[in-house]
Amino acid sequence: MSATCPARRINSTIVGQHVGQTVCVVGRVKPNTQGGLMYLEAADGGDIVIDRSNTSREIGSEYVEVIGMVRPDRTIEEMRSTDFGSDFDLKMYNEMVLLSNGPL
């Protein structure tokens, strides 16, 4: 675990393997974000739903890192998030996720 993200880094393929655990996901904010829910395109191209109902922080960039708890329905309850700007290589990030998690 890194100092900036003290949780397992995941993508949409392995989110279900971490129910009840704190995880870290980086993705592109999708335009259909509404209410307390934010939809992310994860590094592997799949979608992850982020429950933001307990946070008041505005998302200020196209790419974000979210740290949160995985629920049984595979949504992630946001604990905190960090803006990553508008120029982030999700494909390269996904390679790092795969390497850090070992064989799937």
Side-chain angles (χ1 to χ4, degrees):
M1 311 301 161
S2 76
T4 60
C5 190
R8 169 90 48 206
R9 292 186 180 274
I10 65 162
N11 58 27
S12 69
T13 302
I14 60 174
V15 67
Q17 298 173 16
H18 298 283
V19 171
Q21 298 175 18
T22 301
V23 298
C24 179
V25 62
V26 174
R28 184 181 63 81
V29 178
K30 297 187 89 170
N32 58 344
T33 296
Q34 59 187 355
L37 299 179
M38 174 173 67
Y39 298 87
L40 285 185
E41 175 188 340
D44 61 347
D47 291 340
I48 295 180
V49 178
I50 308 296
D51 180 350
R52 303 194 75 238
S53 59
N54 292 325
T55 185
S56 60
R57 190 185 93 72
E58 292 292 321
I59 298 297
S61 71
E62 182 178 358
Y63 295 94
V64 296
E65 174 186 72
V66 175
I67 297 175
M69 181 76 64
V70 180
R71 295 180 175 159
D73 64 357
R74 296 174 35 110
T75 61
I76 297 176
E77 182 179 351
E78 181 181 327
M79 299 159 108
R80 71 177 190 193
S81 62
T82 304
D83 292 342
F84 272 22
S86 61
D87 184 23
F88 188 84
D89 189 340
L90 282 180
K91 186 174 181 178
M92 182 65 71
Y93 180 81
N94 193 56
E95 291 298 319
M96 188 274 303
V97 169
L98 295 174
L99 288 170
S100 69
N101 282 284
L104 300 180

